[in-house]
Amino acid sequence: MRRTLLATGLALLLVTTACAESRRPAAPAAAGTPSASRQDAGQVERTLASLRRVDDLPLYEMTYDGDYDPAVGIAGTPQATPFGCSLFAAGGDRSRPLFARNFDWDANPALVLRTDPPDGYASISLVDISYLGVTADPAGDRRLLNAPLLPFDGMNERGLAVGLAADDGATAEPVPGRPTVGSVRVLRLVLDSAATVDEAIAVFGRYNLDFDGGPPLHYLITDATGASVVIEFVDGRMRAERGRGAWQALTNVPAVGVADRDLRTDHRYGVLAEALDRAGGAVDAPAALRLLDAVRQPHTRWSVTYGLRTGEVRLVTAGGGERGYRLPMS
C-alpha cells in the first residue's frame, strides 16, 4: 500500500552523520551523471518548484513528484573517512517505538525530502545534497532530481526506519549473480520496499554493496513492532544481528558478535547504553533528543527522531533550530 504524503512542513535539518576529525570534501557528481528521474516535464517542474530554504545551515525541503529509477548509479558516494554517527532504536514501549540518530559531518547543505513512488512506500528522509554536486544555491538545479538515491537516514509509511554509520573494518565481497548497488543507495531500496526488519534484511541480501570511493558502512534498521537489527559486513560477508532487548545502538565500532561490555568501552555507545538501560528502552522524542545531545560532537550537523507508529519526525540542526513533520502512516 502507499499513501499520498501531505505537502506540509518538510524542513528536516542538516544533521549529524559523520564524525570525522580529518575530512576531505566530497567529489561533485559528474556533469554526465545519468538522472534517476522518471518524471514528465510537469512533474519535474513541480518537484523543483517545491524546493524552499528553511534554515541558514542551509537546510532545504522538497517534495518529489512522480517516479524515479532506484537502480541508477550516481557519483555521489561520501569520500571522507572516518565517518561517525550515533544511532539507536528504542523499542521498550511497543506502543511508541522510536529511531534516533546524530549525523556528524561537514557544514554542507541538507535536504528534507518527501517521496511517494507509485510502486513503493512513501517516506521522509534526509539528504546531504553536496553528494549530488550541489553546494551553492540549488534553486532550479536538476541534480536535485537524483536526491531520492542518497538518503542518509529516513522512515517510510509502514514505520520502517534506517540509518548508516562508518565501519572502517567492513568489507563486502561480491556474490556472483547479484546486482550491485551503492552503500548509501541501498537505503532507498529498503525505504521503498521493506515494511519490516525481516523484509529489510532480505533487501540487503539481494544485492552486492559497493564501498568503493567512500568509507565502509554498517546499518541500523528498526520497524513499527520495535524489532531492530544491525547489518554489518564481516570478512566480506553480510551478517545481521537482531536486537535482543528493549533497545539497540550503533556508533562506529563493529557490533556484530561483540560482547556488550566491549561495546560500552566506546564512549558514545557507553553513554547511549547507560541511559537506555535506565529507561528500559522506552524514550519519547524529547528524551531521545536529549540523549543525542549528550553524544553530539562539534561537527554534528543534525539530530533526528522518527516515531515509528505516530509518523512524527523531530529534527534539530547544528544551529539549534528545531522542526517537526508528520508522515501519514498506512
Side-chain angles (χ1 to χ4, degrees):
M1 293 178 63
R2 56 188 290 274
R3 184 181 294 249
T4 301
L5 289 173
L6 298 178
T8 58
L10 277 187
L12 279 168
L13 52 77
L14 158 54
V15 307
T16 57
T17 280
C19 69
E21 291 299 330
S22 95
R23 299 166 295 215
R24 300 189 304 266
T33 297
S35 174
S37 173
R38 287 175 170 168
Q39 302 161 297
D40 60 33
Q43 291 170 326
V44 167
E45 182 178 355
R46 287 190 291 275
T47 295
L48 296 179
S50 73
L51 182 76
R52 66 188 185 102
R53 179 169 173 160
V54 295
D55 191 295
D56 287 338
L57 285 171
L59 175 69
Y60 299 87
E61 60 186 37
M62 187 177 80
T63 298
Y64 195 97
D65 187 0
D67 200 6
Y68 47 83
D69 184 356
V72 168
I74 61 175
T77 302
Q79 300 293 312
T81 187
F83 261 36
C85 299
S86 302
L87 310 87
F88 63 88
D93 182 347
R94 293 304 174 97
S95 68
R96 53 170 191 172
L98 180 142
F99 180 82
R101 76 102 98 247
N102 277 347
F103 182 80
D104 310 337
W105 201 232
D106 290 321
N108 299 325
L111 177 71
V112 178
L113 179 69
R114 288 185 186 264
T115 57
D116 191 5
D119 55 353
Y121 298 126
S123 68
I124 188 167
S125 60
L126 282 162
V127 181
D128 182 332
I129 59 175
S130 70
Y131 297 113
L132 298 169
V134 181
T135 57
D137 183 358
D141 195 325
R142 294 178 67 90
R143 288 174 295 186
L144 291 174
L145 301 179
N146 282 328
L149 304 187
L150 289 177
F152 285 71
D153 53 69
M155 174 179 69
N156 68 22
E157 63 178 309
R158 298 299 301 276
L160 187 286
V162 61
L164 55 80
D167 175 12
D168 285 346
T171 57
E173 298 295 332
V175 176
R178 291 183 184 174
T180 298
V181 299
S183 56
V184 177
R185 183 155 51 96
V186 69
L187 270 63
R188 172 52 56 197
L189 299 171
V190 169
L191 289 171
D192 284 1
S193 62
T196 66
V197 161
D198 286 344
E199 291 177 2
I201 294 171
V203 171
F204 270 88
R206 289 197 289 270
Y207 294 93
N208 294 315
L209 290 199
D210 180 9
F211 289 146
D212 289 346
L217 303 172
H218 55 182
Y219 308 84
L220 178 62
I221 306 169
T222 186
D223 65 28
T225 71
S228 64
V229 67
V230 167
I231 291 181
E232 287 184 353
F233 291 81
V234 182
D235 296 327
R237 298 194 176 194
M238 187 186 94
R239 293 183 61 187
E241 184 162 293
R242 297 172 186 270
R244 294 184 292 273
W247 59 269
Q248 192 169 21
L250 188 67
T251 56
N252 302 106
V253 296
V256 172
V258 179
D260 179 69
R261 65 178 180 276
D262 295 327
L263 287 172
R264 292 180 188 233
T265 63
D266 176 74
H267 171 71
R268 282 178 287 126
Y269 187 97
V271 170
L272 294 175
E274 182 180 356
L276 290 166
D277 276 347
R278 288 198 306 268
V283 294
D284 59 13
L289 287 170
R290 289 193 296 271
L291 183 49
L292 290 176
D293 187 60
V295 293
R296 69 176 289 108
Q297 302 181 88
H299 48 280
T300 294
R301 303 309 302 160
W302 70 71
S303 303
V304 62
T305 66
Y306 296 98
L308 307 179
R309 292 202 175 187
T310 65
E312 181 187 38
V313 181
R314 299 278 297 274
L315 177 66
V316 176
T317 65
E322 183 169 344
R323 306 189 71 83
Y325 308 92
R326 188 170 295 275
L327 176 68
M329 309 302 277
S330 65

